[in-house]
Amino acid sequence: MLMINMPRNLICPFSSSSTPPNHIHLSWMLLHCCTDTILCLRLSSSYSDLEESRLSPMPKRAKPTYLAMDKENQIIGYVVPIFRGSHEYASGFSDTEEARVKESAGYMARRNLFTSGLEMERTEQTSRKVSMRESAERICLSKRNEEHHKRMNKDSLMHAPEFVIKPRSHTVWEKQCVRLHCTVSGWPEPRVVWYKNNVTIDPMAHPGKYKLESSYNVHSLEISRCDFDDTAQYRVSAMNSKGELSSFASIVVKILPMSVWGSFFMSLSLGREWIKYGLISEYGITFDTHIVDGFGVSFGREGETMSLGATVIISPNLARYQPEVQWYRDDVLLQPSKWCHMHWSGDKATLTLTHLNKEDEGLYTLRITTKSKYETYSAYVFVRDADAEVEGAPGAPLDVKCQDANKDYVIVTWKQPAVDGGSSILGYFVDRCEVGTTHWSQCNDTPIKFARFPVTGLVEGRSYTFRVRAVNKSGMSRPSRVSEVVAAMDPADRARMRGTSAPWTGQIIVTEEEPAEGVVPGRPKELEVTEATKNYVVLSWKPPGERGHEGIMYYVEKCVSGTDSWQRVNTEIPVKSPRFALFDLAEGKAYSFRVRCCNSAGVGEPSEATEATTVGDKLDIPSAPGRVVPTRNTDTSVVVSWEASRDAKELVGYYIEASIVGSNKFEPCNNKPVKGTRFICHGLVTGESYVFRVKALNAAGLSECSQQSEAIEVKAAIASPTPPYGISVLECVRDSMVLAWKQPTFIGGADITGYFVDYREVINGVPGTWHEANVKAVSDRAYRVSDLKENRKYQFQVRAANMAGVGIPSLPSGTFVCEEWTIAVPGPPHDLQVTEVRANTLVLLYKPPVYQGRDPVNGFYIDIKEADAEEEAWRGVNEKAVLTNYMKIKSLKEGETYVFRVRAQNKAGVGKSSEPTEPVLAETKPGTTEIVVDVDDDGVISMNFACSNLTPDSKFVWSKNYEEITDDTRITVATSGEKSKATFNMPAEDDIGIYSCAVTHTDGACSSYTLSAEELKKLLELSHDHKFPIIPLKTELAVELQEKGRIRFWLQAEKISANGKIEYVFNDNSLSQGEKYKMNFNKDTGVIEMIMESLLPEDEGTFTFQLQDGKATNQSSLVLIGDVFKGLQKESAFMRKEWHRKQGKFFLGQLTRLSRWLVTHRCAVGNIKKETVALWYKDGREVKGDEKLTFTEGVLKLEIAQISKKDAGVYEIVLKDDRGQDTSTLNLTEQANSSTALKIQSTDEGIRLYSFVSYYNEALQVTWHHKDAAIAFTDRIKSGVVGEQLWLQITEPTEKDKGKYAIEFHDGKGGLKRTVELSGQGETTAEFQMAPYFLYNRARVAGGLPDVVTIQELKALNLTCNISGEPLPEVVWLKNEREIVSDGHYVMKFEAGKYASFTITTVNTTDSGKYSILVKNKYGTESADFTVSEDLNLCVNIMYTNT
């Protein structure tokens, strides 16, 4: 129970002559007493806690008391002790210890790690008193130095540091700033370091919190925005080569704001025993508060809605207990309004800004207060301008406020926007709106540049709101947020309505009674010009003392300086307020003013006239700020500091602008002015270089921009690392112990250069003095501490160091006994690391135990459990021990958090498990990439890894089997930008293993690739293919006959670039383009062709196409010799001849013989005209026939009577005219002897037997035999003649159809017989057995194409045909023997494996040509050709080709 005792020596502020009422006297005494009592209890408790939790404790000594007592031992206050800097306390070592440490070679190096020469530039305005004192100190020191130099040599000048002026202790309120000063002398110049509770103060680790300054031996430490945690003992240490000295000071931060005392007295009035809002424990419960999942730096735009929230964890968790939740903006407590809503859900605090405006920009702080303590969390909110309604218009003004409101008058103030739209702002318009209406009226006719404007003409008793708009040459800005509602009334009436009363002053003022009614008011008092600009002048005065009971009004008069002519300004309506704004004054002229009072009794005497006031702006625009210095902060922010504007009056704040180097485009960093000379600019792009400039502003306007700062690259600043943790013992012998620890969670933005280990002995539970275990930093996270004593107890602490310095030490470890381990099993593994974390897998790395046991370690076991599971949930990952120091753990559950540990085994058994890892979340982070194996065109095999989240200090580290690759004999590593490549020099079996790449200073970016023996074999084969590439071919070199008997050699490459080259070779001789050879290379389709008009005997040989595309090559050859060449030559000549014949189309039939003895050569002709000439030839010589050659019957005849052997020969008739010629030939020789051998061919229907004769007519008798018996023809077995081919077709052949077949020819004189064996053996096996497969499975065009189509130009043509075959045929459309690619003009489709369609969207004359559809599968090929002629008549000719 808290006992409140009133001290006897309290001095009452009231004199005996003016004794206040008893209740007021008692309240004052209670207030004074309780204030001192609570403050003493709180501060003494806090100081005791600080003594207990020091990271570098001093030797135990009797606890001093810091409570002030009166003569009767009553607590009356708190005493701040004056600390004496004794030798032991100053250095922290005893005489022997200090001597031992100073004798070590690394003493000075170690000290330098804790003292950095970092000095922060800063400009401040100092008071006259401080300036004079500093000036006097400098003069004094200067004189001392001069005297020393005169009477001493250089060696005698050197002396240890000495504090001329020591820092003094301070007691401050929360959120205030405090500064500690000291003056130090010494030679050489001492190095000064500040400590808080014996921990080095690092300004870079706490940006904006601490500021250090050193100038002319005067050193200062400034602490901004003090909170309770800043209550501590501060030490300043000065050191040079002659010695070291320290001085101490304390800072006490009061945490109870005055606004809480009202609640305090309320609690007292209710008779409660405990203070309602005091920060003390209630019922012995101490609440622990943590703010997690807080809001970060946020960016919004005007008009948007933004929510800020944080989760609050309070333990113990009491039902229905609600802490005090407060939100602050720039240290101003926020109240619920239409602009901001606050919500507490029991574990989460939320602030919602319903309609963002630039007034909402600032530092937001969430404060959670419990009975025991409070926690705060802060982050900055930036609000950008909304898009302008008119392009180029300025941003909206902000922070509109109403000041000095009276009955008919109010002054409206605002702040200028940071964005002017690209052109200077011409001025501002002020609008007003009466509450209860929606009508806005403009208060000024012309824009005003001053950011303050007096609004007159208000109606007394009514309420108004105001807004402001900015204007430039482009247009008007959006209106600002409306001001708070203000009522037009007398300030005294407003105060009475609010229910406020003046505070007790201890004085009673007796006034005379008011005079009777009807008294003429007296003179107004204290008339003065409160504001003067070139647009208006504002007057203010006080009402007269003699004014009667009725209200008074005022008349304002002006007089031009130098004259006596007074002119009344408000002649029509007198003003009611003791304020008045005069407009329309001549700029540059001087005026005097006076005021008269009036009421119903009359007009009073004028007041005293003001001094002459010249109309013009009295407030100047501030000067440009001074030097701008940016410093690094985070990877997206920069701290910008600048020198304040000199001689600036009524300064409102500063705007900071940033520009990417080279862009010359500045963007505002803040849209609400900041008052300090330091600001953190957020939202910058990592890795970009920026320059900054600053503008100052006051009501008169914005200053010129400062000079641009130096360019700075945006990246995180370097700070000292946080403490290591998890100290454990790996091995213990009689006089040494091997320790291990875990890496700090934050390394300070730079690689850790080493660790320092300290130890201390624990005797009877009392820790001793810390001793250094290593003077030189160790790089490993394990270290053997030597020179210990057996069976003694020790504690350890570890500090990490980087290039920024040595971090603070870790918490002391547990107490370990130094005794030799004798167990048989191995000790615990250590240095567990988790890498390559994915949704279902990760890799665990570990180091073997230092203590092996009796036998060497022969394996490891890995255990796993969920992070929140009990200890009994540990389970093994591997049943069989693994020999490696790594293991890939699979089958993880995505989104689950796990911890791992490792146990080592030897022959004696399994040893103690390692310390568990930190919890690891199984997830694949966004942007995760994997190693990509690539084989380039030169066959070089490489592994590639890319990371987009690099920091300036990031490095790619390649490892094999998770050991860093340092030897480049087998692998060469090259890194460029965000990519790193590891190239195999000579891939071989020695390279088999697991390769991984990790990126330092990232959030665990890492990946691995396993190179197995099979994978290596595949890569080597692929490398060979890339070294010696081959151009793939779709088809080999082939030959075909075209129209006019032309010979086309062609092939198609599967893939070839436009730079490919082709060489045409015949019999090892290169061919070139000319009249005989026409070459063509279609780079889109890869078709390569060579066309010859005819084949000559010298063209017999080998044709070769040689292809080259870069390094890739290929060739294909075709051999045309012997019968193959002759057959192709003959067919070509025939087709060429037929083409010439068809140009005239004279003959409708072949030349025939009518009888054996009287030979009449007869041929049906047509399409002749008068100019057509007929010539007869026998064996190439022209013969004469009947001179009466007529074509009336359409038949041309040549009769030979009494034919004899001499008439045997080859007869030919030629018809020709200007259109061309046509020829028909008859071989009048032995017929049957000219037939070919009987051959067998597979067809769609089955098997065909055929033979060719030189010529055929009705006189030739043909008989077919099977097994020496005449064949009876049926629907299944048929015979026929096509041209000079005689054939026998067997449909769906069976076993019965095997046997000997024969064909007999009889011409009346003799005969000839041809036979063939169809037995299913030898050469006939394939034809006989494959006939059913060809029949049912061969690719073919089943039908659907019309015979003839006539279509008009510019119409669409669509043809569809049915396709069959198994496997599914490949369909290709050709135009003039070239493959057609589907595009907007030609559309080809193959649907459902059955229907092939060809569409010409818009037919034109260029579409004339020969078109073909080619279908093929492994059982055969078939094509259908159709020709589109120039008159756009479509003729379809189906030609089947089997392969």
Side-chain angles (χ1 to χ4, degrees):
M1 181 175 182
L2 177 64
M3 301 298 295
I4 301 177
N5 297 319
M6 292 185 295
R8 298 184 179 183
N9 60 347
L10 284 175
I11 300 176
C12 181
F14 307 105
S15 64
S16 59
S17 61
S18 58
T19 303
N22 292 332
H23 68 279
I24 297 179
H25 193 177
L26 178 60
S27 300
W28 186 91
M29 294 177 66
L30 287 173
L31 171 62
H32 188 85
C33 172
C34 296
T35 303
D36 291 343
T37 304
I38 295 172
L39 185 59
C40 292
L41 292 176
R42 175 59 177 164
L43 293 176
S44 62
S45 174
S46 302
Y47 191 82
S48 300
D49 294 340
L50 288 171
E51 288 290 312
E52 290 292 330
S53 62
R54 283 179 183 168
L55 297 180
S56 300
M58 304 304 298
K60 290 289 184 177
R61 59 177 66 184
K63 287 188 176 180
T65 176
Y66 303 112
L67 301 179
M69 306 289 184
D70 62 3
K71 295 181 180 180
E72 297 182 0
N73 293 328
Q74 297 294 324
I75 300 174
I76 61 173
Y78 178 83
V79 177
V80 178
I82 299 177
F83 292 92
R84 295 181 175 87
S86 64
H87 181 71
E88 179 181 352
Y89 207 91
S91 63
F93 296 92
S94 63
D95 292 340
T96 57
E97 291 172 343
E98 185 171 6
R100 178 179 60 84
V101 173
K102 289 186 176 181
E103 288 174 359
S104 63
Y107 173 75
M108 292 304 297
R110 176 180 64 81
R111 286 296 184 183
N112 289 336
L113 286 174
F114 287 93
T115 57
S116 62
L118 178 63
E119 295 183 0
M120 300 178 61
E121 296 186 9
R122 187 173 180 277
T123 301
E124 62 176 351
Q125 294 180 351
T126 59
S127 65
R128 180 178 181 85
K129 180 179 180 181
V130 175
S131 299
M132 292 177 64
R133 185 184 68 184
E134 292 178 350
S135 177
E137 290 174 353
R138 287 196 297 270
I139 295 173
C140 181
L141 289 176
S142 177
K143 290 183 178 180
R144 288 185 181 181
N145 289 335
E146 290 177 0
E147 293 175 359
H148 279 292
H149 281 289
K150 289 180 180 179
R151 56 193 176 91
M152 292 184 180
N153 55 27
K154 182 176 180 180
D155 294 335
S156 61
L157 288 175
M158 298 179 64
H159 62 91
E162 179 182 355
F163 283 93
V164 179
I165 299 177
K166 297 182 179 181
R168 295 183 297 175
S169 299
H170 292 269
T171 300
V172 296
W173 287 106
E174 185 184 18
K175 301 299 182 184
Q176 287 184 336
C177 296
V178 65
R179 179 181 295 173
L180 300 178
H181 290 276
C182 68
T183 303
V184 183
S185 65
W187 185 264
E189 183 179 356
R191 184 185 298 272
V192 176
V193 182
W194 292 86
Y195 297 88
K196 174 184 176 183
N197 290 337
N198 292 328
V199 177
T200 306
I201 295 176
D202 184 3
M204 300 302 295
H206 307 277
K209 183 65 176 177
Y210 302 105
K211 295 181 181 179
L212 301 179
E213 186 179 33
S214 297
S215 178
Y216 299 102
N217 295 329
V218 178
H219 307 273
S220 65
L221 166 66
E222 182 176 345
I223 306 174
S224 301
R225 295 170 52 85
C226 291
D227 54 27
F228 181 73
D229 293 334
D230 293 318
T231 299
Q233 181 188 80
Y234 291 82
R235 175 166 65 97
V236 55
S237 175
M239 182 183 66
N240 63 11
S241 60
K242 303 297 290 183
E244 179 185 7
L245 188 64
S246 297
S247 182
F248 298 84
S250 295
I251 293 178
V252 178
V253 181
K254 292 184 178 181
I255 62 173
L256 291 178
M258 294 304 296
S259 60
V260 178
W261 284 109
S263 301
F264 170 78
F265 282 112
M266 185 180 296
S267 301
L268 290 180
S269 64
L270 295 176
R272 295 186 180 180
E273 296 178 345
W274 299 96
I275 298 175
K276 184 176 181 181
Y277 294 102
L279 300 180
I280 59 176
S281 298
E282 184 175 12
Y283 303 107
I285 298 176
T286 300
F287 291 96
D288 192 10
T289 306
H290 298 282
I291 299 177
V292 298
D293 298 334
F295 51 94
V297 176
S298 304
F299 296 87
R301 189 175 291 274
E302 284 186 313
E304 297 177 348
T305 299
M306 177 183 290
S307 292
L308 307 177
T311 302
V312 181
I313 301 175
I314 301 176
S315 59
N317 186 12
L318 300 182
R320 292 178 294 181
Y321 175 74
Q322 179 174 346
E324 183 181 11
V325 181
Q326 294 174 318
W327 289 89
Y328 295 83
R329 178 173 60 233
D330 296 330
D331 295 333
V332 177
L333 180 64
L334 296 178
Q335 300 294 339
S337 66
K338 66 177 181 178
W339 305 117
C340 59
H341 299 163
M342 304 171 190
H343 179 69
W344 169 257
S345 62
D347 62 350
K348 187 171 185 178
T350 306
L351 172 67
T352 302
L353 305 174
T354 56
H355 189 281
L356 284 177
N357 281 90
K358 288 180 287 188
E359 289 86 345
D360 297 319
E361 183 172 294
L363 180 66
Y364 283 78
T365 302
L366 169 63
R367 177 169 176 160
I368 306 295
T369 306
T370 62
K371 303 295 183 180
S372 306
K373 59 187 296 187
Y374 72 90
E375 288 290 333
T376 60
Y377 182 87
S378 301
Y380 212 93
V381 172
F382 294 88
V383 181
R384 305 300 189 199
D385 282 287
D387 294 334
E389 296 178 347
V390 178
E391 185 177 359
L398 67 153
D399 209 7
V400 179
K401 294 182 179 180
C402 298
Q403 300 176 353
D404 202 15
N406 221 297
K407 296 180 180 180
D408 57 357
Y409 163 92
V410 68
I411 291 182
V412 179
T413 64
W414 61 91
K415 294 176 182 176
Q416 299 91 333
V419 177
D420 58 9
S423 59
S424 60
I425 295 177
L426 301 177
Y428 302 89
F429 287 101
V430 181
D431 302 333
R432 74 183 181 191
C433 177
E434 187 175 339
V435 174
T437 68
T438 58
H439 174 68
W440 288 92
S441 59
Q442 188 170 295
C443 300
N444 53 314
D445 297 330
T446 59
I448 57 172
K449 288 191 174 182
F450 215 72
R452 190 159 55 229
F453 183 73
V455 179
T456 59
L458 304 180
V459 179
E460 183 179 3
R462 297 186 181 180
S463 299
Y464 298 88
T465 56
F466 297 87
R467 70 183 187 186
V468 182
R469 295 168 294 151
V471 62
N472 64 5
K473 66 179 182 180
S474 298
M476 195 80 67
S477 74
R478 292 176 178 269
S480 67
R481 175 184 279 183
V482 298
S483 68
E484 297 291 335
V485 176
V486 61
M489 62 173 59
D490 188 275
D493 296 336
R494 185 182 298 106
R496 285 193 295 271
M497 291 180 63
R498 293 177 179 173
T500 60
S501 59
W504 171 260
T505 63
Q507 298 179 357
I508 298 176
I509 300 175
V510 179
T511 59
E512 297 180 359
E513 293 183 357
E514 296 291 340
E517 297 181 4
V519 176
V520 176
R523 299 171 183 265
K525 298 181 295 184
E526 299 181 16
L527 174 64
E528 62 179 346
V529 178
T530 58
E531 189 172 336
T533 69
K534 63 182 180 181
N535 300 104
Y536 62 87
V537 171
V538 177
L539 304 177
S540 67
W541 61 89
K542 289 185 179 180
E546 307 85 9
R547 55 181 178 177
H549 290 287
E550 61 178 315
I552 58 175
M553 294 183 291
Y554 306 94
Y555 287 108
V556 179
E557 299 175 350
K558 67 179 180 179
C559 174
V560 178
S561 180
T563 66
D564 293 330
S565 175
W566 288 93
Q567 179 183 359
R568 183 169 293 179
V569 177
N570 55 330
T571 55
E572 298 179 358
I573 302 176
V575 297
K576 299 180 180 180
S577 304
R579 305 285 189 276
F580 188 74
L582 290 84
F583 297 91
D584 301 328
L585 299 177
E587 184 177 359
K589 284 189 177 183
Y591 294 86
S592 297
F593 305 95
R594 68 185 185 185
V595 181
R596 295 174 182 266
C597 296
C598 68
N599 59 10
S600 59
V603 179
E605 292 296 323
S607 66
E608 293 183 4
T610 65
E611 295 181 357
T613 301
T614 303
V615 178
D617 291 334
K618 302 301 182 184
L619 182 64
D620 295 328
I621 295 176
S623 60
R627 181 184 178 190
V628 180
V629 180
T631 55
R632 289 173 180 162
N633 187 39
T634 68
D635 55 359
T636 58
S637 64
V638 168
V639 178
V640 180
S641 303
W642 60 91
E643 295 180 359
S645 297
R646 295 176 182 241
D647 303 325
K649 297 180 180 179
E650 300 182 22
L651 188 67
V652 174
Y654 298 92
Y655 283 125
I656 302 94
E657 297 178 342
S659 173
I660 297 178
V661 173
S663 66
N664 294 325
K665 182 180 180 182
F666 281 87
E667 297 289 342
C669 297
N670 61 315
N671 281 279
K672 183 178 179 180
V674 295
K675 294 185 177 180
T677 57
R678 181 181 180 277
F679 187 73
I680 302 177
C681 300
H682 289 272
L684 307 179
V685 180
T686 304
E688 288 284 359
S689 294
Y690 286 82
V691 293
F692 299 87
R693 67 185 186 188
V694 184
K695 294 186 290 186
L697 75 154
N698 59 10
L702 275 75
S703 71
E704 296 293 331
C705 294
S706 67
Q707 292 185 353
Q708 294 183 12
S709 69
E710 294 182 358
I712 185 171
E713 183 182 358
V714 180
K715 63 179 182 179
I718 298 176
S720 57
T722 56
Y725 64 101
I727 301 175
S728 60
V729 177
L730 301 181
E731 185 186 30
C732 186
V733 295
R734 293 181 180 180
D735 60 349
S736 66
M737 302 173 75
V738 178
L739 303 177
W741 55 88
K742 295 182 180 179
Q743 179 175 293
T745 55
F746 174 70
I747 64 175
D751 292 332
I752 291 180
T753 56
Y755 297 90
F756 295 92
V757 181
D758 299 333
Y759 69 94
R760 66 182 177 185
E761 187 177 353
V762 180
I763 302 175
N764 297 327
V766 179
T769 304
W770 288 107
H771 302 279
E772 292 179 340
N774 60 313
V775 176
K776 185 178 180 180
V778 295
S779 58
D780 293 334
R781 286 191 292 274
Y783 180 71
R784 181 180 296 274
V785 181
S786 305
D787 298 330
L788 303 179
K789 297 180 181 179
E790 190 175 4
N791 296 326
R792 298 290 183 90
K793 296 180 180 180
Y794 293 92
Q795 289 181 344
F796 303 90
Q797 67 180 15
V798 184
R799 293 168 293 168
N802 61 9
M803 62 184 300
V806 180
I808 62 177
S810 65
L811 294 175
S813 68
T815 303
F816 304 120
V817 180
C818 184
E819 56 183 2
E820 187 169 2
W821 288 0
T822 58
I823 54 177
V825 296
H830 65 102
D831 200 10
L832 275 64
Q833 298 182 48
V834 177
T835 184
E836 299 178 36
V837 181
R838 303 293 186 266
N840 304 110
T841 62
L842 58 80
V843 175
L844 180 65
L845 310 179
Y846 43 87
K847 292 183 179 180
V850 177
Y851 178 74
Q852 299 283 319
R854 294 181 182 175
D855 300 291
V857 173
N858 57 17
F860 299 93
Y861 292 95
I862 290 84
D863 299 334
I864 183 177
K865 81 175 184 68
E866 287 72 19
D868 54 356
E870 301 294 335
E871 285 295 316
E872 294 77 9
W874 282 106
R875 58 189 182 275
V877 174
N878 54 318
E879 296 180 358
K880 185 178 179 181
V882 296
L883 300 177
T884 58
N885 294 339
Y886 57 87
M887 183 176 182
K888 187 169 187 178
I889 301 174
K890 304 178 181 179
S891 302
L892 301 180
K893 183 179 179 181
E894 185 175 4
E896 188 65 61
T897 303
Y898 297 92
V899 291
F900 305 89
R901 69 184 185 187
V902 183
R903 294 170 294 146
Q905 77 166 9
N906 59 11
K907 292 182 179 180
V910 180
K912 181 182 177 182
S913 61
S914 67
E915 290 290 325
T917 65
E918 293 299 311
V920 180
L921 177 63
E923 67 170 355
T924 303
K925 296 180 181 179
T928 300
T929 57
E930 304 294 344
I931 291 178
V932 178
V933 180
D934 178 59
V935 181
D936 62 13
D937 294 338
D938 296 327
V940 177
I941 304 173
S942 62
M943 298 176 292
N944 301 268
F945 186 63
C947 178
S948 59
N949 301 323
L950 295 180
T951 63
D953 299 317
S954 295
K955 296 179 182 178
F956 290 85
V957 179
W958 286 89
S959 303
K960 180 181 180 182
N961 296 330
Y962 297 100
E963 294 183 2
E964 185 177 353
I965 299 174
T966 56
D967 186 6
D968 58 357
T969 57
R970 304 219 47 91
I971 286 184
T972 302
V973 176
T975 300
S976 176
E978 297 180 349
K979 298 179 180 180
S980 182
K981 175 186 289 187
T983 304
F984 291 97
N985 297 334
M986 294 291 291
E989 292 183 359
D990 293 340
D991 296 315
I992 294 175
I994 300 175
Y995 292 88
S996 62
C997 183
V999 185
T1000 62
H1001 299 283
T1002 60
D1003 191 14
C1006 186
S1007 180
S1008 64
Y1009 166 73
T1010 302
L1011 181 62
S1012 60
E1014 290 136 357
E1015 187 72 12
L1016 178 62
K1017 183 179 178 181
K1018 293 179 182 178
L1019 291 175
L1020 290 176
E1021 292 176 354
L1022 186 60
S1023 174
H1024 181 271
D1025 293 341
H1026 283 210
K1027 285 183 180 178
F1028 311 100
I1030 297 177
I1031 301 175
L1033 300 179
K1034 280 189 177 180
T1035 59
E1036 295 291 339
L1037 184 60
V1039 64
E1040 63 182 12
L1041 295 178
Q1042 291 185 327
E1043 194 177 14
K1044 300 182 183 180
R1046 291 183 296 183
I1047 301 91
R1048 176 179 181 247
F1049 297 89
W1050 70 282
L1051 62 79
Q1052 186 174 11
E1054 184 174 340
K1055 183 180 180 181
I1056 187 170
S1057 69
N1059 298 323
K1061 297 180 180 179
I1062 314 299
E1063 186 173 358
Y1064 305 86
V1065 179
F1066 172 67
N1067 291 342
D1068 298 331
N1069 296 320
S1070 180
L1071 304 179
S1072 59
Q1073 185 90 1
E1075 294 183 0
K1076 185 174 183 179
Y1077 303 104
K1078 309 293 183 184
M1079 288 90 165
N1080 184 40
F1081 172 28
N1082 191 325
K1083 298 177 181 179
D1084 295 330
T1085 61
V1087 175
I1088 304 166
E1089 62 181 5
M1090 182 181 72
I1091 298 175
M1092 300 174 62
E1093 293 296 330
S1094 62
L1095 285 178
L1096 302 177
E1098 58 268 20
D1099 295 324
E1100 184 176 3
T1102 302
F1103 292 84
T1104 303
F1105 285 6
Q1106 296 178 350
L1107 289 69
Q1108 183 175 1
D1109 187 5
K1111 293 177 57 178
T1113 59
N1114 204 345
Q1115 70 175 22
S1116 182
S1117 299
L1118 180 65
V1119 180
L1120 293 180
I1121 59 175
D1123 294 339
V1124 176
F1125 174 78
K1126 293 178 181 178
L1128 184 64
Q1129 184 184 28
K1130 180 179 180 182
E1131 188 174 358
S1132 171
F1134 175 77
M1135 291 182 65
R1136 185 168 59 258
K1137 182 179 179 181
E1138 282 295 302
W1139 183 84
H1140 285 292
R1141 182 183 66 81
K1142 292 180 180 179
Q1143 295 305 305
K1145 299 183 180 178
F1146 297 118
F1147 295 103
L1148 301 179
Q1150 294 292 328
L1151 187 62
T1152 59
R1153 185 182 67 175
L1154 296 182
S1155 67
R1156 181 176 180 183
W1157 307 112
L1158 177 61
V1159 177
T1160 302
H1161 297 286
R1162 174 180 176 178
C1163 183
V1165 297
N1167 194 22
I1168 62 176
K1169 57 184 181 180
K1170 294 180 180 180
E1171 291 80 8
T1172 304
V1173 177
L1175 299 174
W1176 288 91
Y1177 295 89
K1178 175 190 176 186
D1179 295 332
R1181 295 182 179 182
E1182 185 177 354
V1183 297
K1184 293 183 179 180
D1186 190 353
E1187 295 180 356
K1188 298 180 179 180
L1189 298 177
T1190 62
F1191 304 100
T1192 56
E1193 298 179 0
V1195 177
L1196 186 62
K1197 300 178 182 179
L1198 174 63
E1199 295 183 356
I1200 303 175
Q1202 298 297 325
I1203 188 171
S1204 62
K1205 290 184 178 181
K1206 66 179 182 178
D1207 295 319
V1210 177
Y1211 290 83
E1212 182 181 18
I1213 182 171
V1214 177
L1215 294 179
K1216 61 181 179 179
D1217 55 23
D1218 56 353
R1219 295 173 296 173
Q1221 69 179 17
D1222 195 2
T1223 303
S1224 182
T1225 305
L1226 175 63
N1227 187 357
L1228 193 59
T1229 59
E1230 298 295 333
Q1231 299 176 9
N1233 292 334
S1234 62
S1235 64
T1236 62
L1238 195 58
K1239 296 184 179 181
I1240 303 173
Q1241 180 187 15
S1242 297
T1243 65
D1244 289 345
E1245 292 78 12
I1247 295 177
R1248 171 174 291 190
L1249 284 71
Y1250 65 93
S1251 177
F1252 286 95
V1253 295
S1254 298
Y1255 69 93
Y1256 174 83
N1257 56 27
E1258 293 82 352
L1260 183 65
Q1261 298 180 5
V1262 179
T1263 306
W1264 290 91
H1265 298 270
H1266 178 220
K1267 298 179 181 179
D1268 298 330
I1271 296 176
F1273 298 105
T1274 63
D1275 292 338
R1276 194 175 71 87
I1277 301 177
K1278 300 178 181 179
S1279 67
V1281 179
V1282 176
E1284 297 175 348
Q1285 183 190 64
L1286 289 78
W1287 52 265
L1288 175 69
Q1289 181 69 41
I1290 305 175
T1291 304
E1292 298 181 5
T1294 62
E1295 291 293 330
K1296 295 181 179 180
D1297 296 319
K1298 293 182 179 180
K1300 181 180 180 182
Y1301 285 83
I1303 182 172
E1304 292 183 353
F1305 304 96
H1306 296 275
D1307 58 359
K1309 180 180 179 181
L1312 183 65
K1313 187 175 183 180
R1314 303 288 188 185
T1315 61
V1316 67
E1317 183 70 27
L1318 185 61
S1319 60
Q1321 303 293 328
E1323 296 181 356
T1324 64
T1325 302
E1327 280 75 7
F1328 188 82
Q1329 293 181 351
M1330 292 300 297
Y1333 294 98
F1334 279 102
L1335 176 63
Y1336 296 108
N1337 298 327
R1338 186 175 61 81
R1340 57 184 176 177
V1341 182
L1345 291 174
D1347 294 333
V1348 177
V1349 174
T1350 302
I1351 187 170
Q1352 296 180 356
E1353 191 175 5
L1354 302 180
K1355 296 292 184 178
L1357 171 64
N1358 180 269
L1359 297 176
T1360 303
C1361 61
N1362 299 327
I1363 305 299
S1364 64
E1366 184 66 32
L1368 194 67
E1370 178 184 352
V1371 178
V1372 179
W1373 293 87
L1374 306 174
K1375 176 184 177 183
N1376 296 332
E1377 307 300 334
R1378 298 182 181 179
E1379 184 176 350
I1380 303 175
V1381 179
S1382 181
D1383 54 17
H1385 187 63
Y1386 297 106
V1387 180
M1388 287 82 72
K1389 296 182 180 178
F1390 184 33
E1391 301 174 336
K1394 296 181 180 180
Y1395 310 107
S1397 63
F1398 174 79
T1399 302
I1400 304 177
T1401 55
T1402 305
V1403 178
N1404 53 55
T1405 56
T1406 61
D1407 294 318
S1408 300
K1410 178 183 177 182
Y1411 293 81
S1412 304
I1413 178 174
L1414 180 68
V1415 296
K1416 61 181 179 180
N1417 62 9
K1418 67 180 183 179
Y1419 294 120
T1421 303
E1422 185 172 291
S1423 64
D1425 302 337
F1426 55 93
T1427 302
V1428 178
S1429 61
E1430 293 183 358
D1431 57 2
L1432 303 181
N1433 291 326
L1434 181 66
C1435 298
V1436 180
N1437 179 22
I1438 307 299
M1439 179 182 73
Y1440 302 97
T1441 305
N1442 298 316
T1443 60

